[in-house]
Amino acid sequence: MAPSHALRCCKRAVNWIPVLFIHLVVGWSYYAYVVELCVYTIPNNEERISYLVLFHVSITMFIWSYWKSIWSTPASPTKAFCLPRAEKELYEREERAERQQEILKKVARNLPVYTRTVGGAVRYCDSCQVIKPDRCHHCSTCEMCVLKMDHHCPWVNNCVGFSNYKFFILFLAYASLYCVVICATVVQYFIKFWTKQLPDTHAKFHILFLFFVAALFFISILSLLSYHLWLVGKNRTTIEAFRAPAFSNGPDKNGFSLGFSRNVAEVFGDEGKYWIFPIFSSLGDGQSFVTRLVHIDPEQANSVLQHNGKSPVNVGETSLAVPSDTQHTVIDNSKEKMDEGQRDSVTVEREP
């Protein structure tokens, strides 16, 4: 037990190395910019003050969002997704996988769970002993199930998921802004030192290196930020981008997409004044998600469209995708177990 505990402690300490590296780079950049550039290099007071104000605004938002990404505890499923005592005892005693699935399906029938494994089984975590909510995955590093898990990020030493996805995107955005501010204000002095228009002083190395580091970080961060903004627009996680979530009617990569505006609101909230601040404003509880209408019976599609004031589909069409940003009705797919199999049912709910 002792070696195992010591190994686990060492692993946790090693996991903080990337975070420590980021803090060291940011700390050095602060010294290089404030002291070497603004104090020793810039001769004009007005320019110096304006640069310092702009720099401190950008670094404050950057550090704020970065720390929120690090210290936000990943959200995990509630006890509602745990098996009741009687079913849990039956599940643990049962050795046949088919019978275990029957127990899980019986419990999952009363839960807002629409996704399954590729094989159609109820997603159950043996480590956490919970039925996984939609978009929930087990993180082996954090050793827990994380709601709407996107990925485990070594640069924040935390799982990026429902509780901190907005903070993570703002961290990338403000990190990019921080690099832009540095490059835009340092470039003229970088050129002067490079062309020897300024004398060689102790500030030269810091200015030259600061520009190169900021430019390299900006290129790498911007690509990551662009990818995650694309994911937000599609309402997908990184995991879902690589492996489409499986519903009762099969895998659907756009299963959770509700239209661009609704997708953005799920992450940033429906009040724009909070979007730029690393304050939690995401919609929902992370355990239940609206799913769009896909692959339903034509008669069902006609009735739903007529209910929404839309034109009915042609007879013979077997699938329909209704973008939720063009209507005010939320449509879900739900499953009901039948005696001889399963059928799809459509639930129509009016938004307030």
Side-chain angles (χ1 to χ4, degrees):
M1 292 297 293
S4 177
H5 179 71
L7 264 156
R8 184 174 297 181
C9 291
C10 289
K11 182 181 178 182
R12 289 177 179 175
V14 170
N15 289 339
W16 284 103
I17 292 178
V19 177
L20 178 61
F21 172 76
I22 294 295
H23 279 81
L24 290 175
V25 171
V26 173
W28 166 79
S29 68
Y30 185 90
Y31 166 80
Y33 192 94
V34 173
V35 178
E36 299 295 343
L37 176 67
C38 293
V39 175
Y40 292 133
T41 305
I42 299 178
N44 189 301
N45 282 333
E46 292 182 359
E47 182 182 4
R48 180 185 295 118
I49 293 173
S50 61
Y51 280 13
L52 285 173
V53 171
L54 184 61
F55 175 81
H56 280 91
V57 169
S58 62
I59 194 174
T60 298
M61 298 304 292
F62 165 48
I63 294 297
W64 185 10
S65 56
Y66 184 48
W67 283 355
K68 290 285 284 187
S69 300
I70 295 173
W71 300 112
S72 295
T73 303
S76 57
T78 62
K79 293 182 178 179
F81 290 85
C82 297
L83 294 179
R85 181 177 298 179
E87 282 75 7
K88 184 178 179 181
E89 291 177 354
L90 287 173
Y91 180 87
E92 292 175 346
R93 288 200 304 264
E94 187 59 54
E95 297 180 356
R96 294 173 297 173
E98 297 82 3
R99 178 55 184 159
Q100 287 181 330
Q101 271 300 305
E102 290 178 6
I103 298 171
L104 295 178
K105 287 179 180 179
K106 178 183 176 182
V107 178
R109 191 184 306 170
N110 300 319
L111 296 173
V113 177
Y114 299 104
T115 55
R116 297 289 187 264
T117 65
V118 177
V122 175
R123 302 189 315 127
Y124 183 77
C125 180
D126 290 311
S127 299
C128 301
Q129 296 185 333
V130 295
I131 293 176
K132 294 180 182 179
D134 293 342
R135 318 183 84 176
C136 175
H137 297 274
H138 185 85
C139 177
S140 57
T141 304
C142 295
E143 299 179 347
M144 63 182 295
C145 282
V146 179
L147 296 181
K148 197 185 177 183
M149 179 178 173
D150 188 89
H151 69 289
H152 184 91
C153 180
W155 299 107
V156 300
N157 191 29
N158 199 3
C159 257
V160 178
F162 176 74
S163 63
N164 63 349
Y165 190 48
K166 176 190 174 183
F167 306 149
F168 179 75
I169 294 177
L170 289 180
F171 152 59
L172 296 177
Y174 286 124
S176 300
L177 176 63
Y178 180 65
C179 294
V180 167
V181 168
I182 291 176
C183 290
T185 54
V186 168
V187 63
Q188 60 174 317
Y189 296 98
F190 170 83
I191 295 173
K192 289 180 180 179
F193 275 119
W194 190 266
T195 57
K196 300 187 182 302
Q197 296 179 35
L198 289 175
D200 290 344
T201 62
H202 54 81
K204 179 179 179 179
F205 166 79
H206 291 282
I207 301 301
L208 295 179
F209 197 57
L210 182 63
F211 180 83
F212 278 122
V213 170
L216 291 174
F217 269 91
F218 172 73
I219 294 172
S220 60
I221 294 172
L222 182 63
S223 60
L224 187 59
L225 173 63
S226 301
Y227 176 67
H228 278 281
L229 289 177
W230 177 81
L231 290 177
V232 170
K234 296 291 185 180
N235 203 345
R236 299 177 197 167
T237 63
T238 299
I239 295 175
E240 292 165 354
F242 287 95
R243 185 175 65 251
F247 296 86
S248 59
N249 44 26
D252 182 10
K253 63 181 180 180
N254 295 317
F256 296 107
S257 181
L258 307 174
F260 181 78
S261 59
R262 290 285 302 277
N263 294 343
V264 172
E266 273 208 1
V267 176
F268 290 94
D270 49 12
E271 295 188 57
K273 61 184 179 181
Y274 297 120
W275 286 11
I276 64 173
F277 299 105
I279 300 172
F280 186 83
S281 58
S282 301
L283 301 181
D285 58 3
Q287 299 186 122
S288 59
F289 298 90
V290 177
T291 60
R292 72 191 189 102
L293 184 63
V294 290
H295 302 306
I296 64 171
D297 182 79
E299 293 183 0
Q300 291 177 315
N302 285 336
S303 64
V304 171
L305 288 176
Q306 289 172 357
H307 183 79
N308 295 332
K310 304 292 182 179
S311 300
V313 297
N314 296 329
V315 177
E317 292 184 0
T318 58
S319 65
L320 174 70
V322 180
S324 298
D325 60 334
T326 60
Q327 59 185 6
H328 295 288
T329 301
V330 179
I331 308 172
D332 286 346
N333 287 333
S334 62
K335 290 180 59 181
E336 295 182 358
K337 187 176 179 182
M338 304 291 292
D339 293 335
E340 297 297 331
Q342 293 180 333
R343 64 179 175 85
D344 290 337
S345 64
V346 180
T347 302
V348 181
E349 298 177 355
R350 286 286 185 182
E351 285 187 352

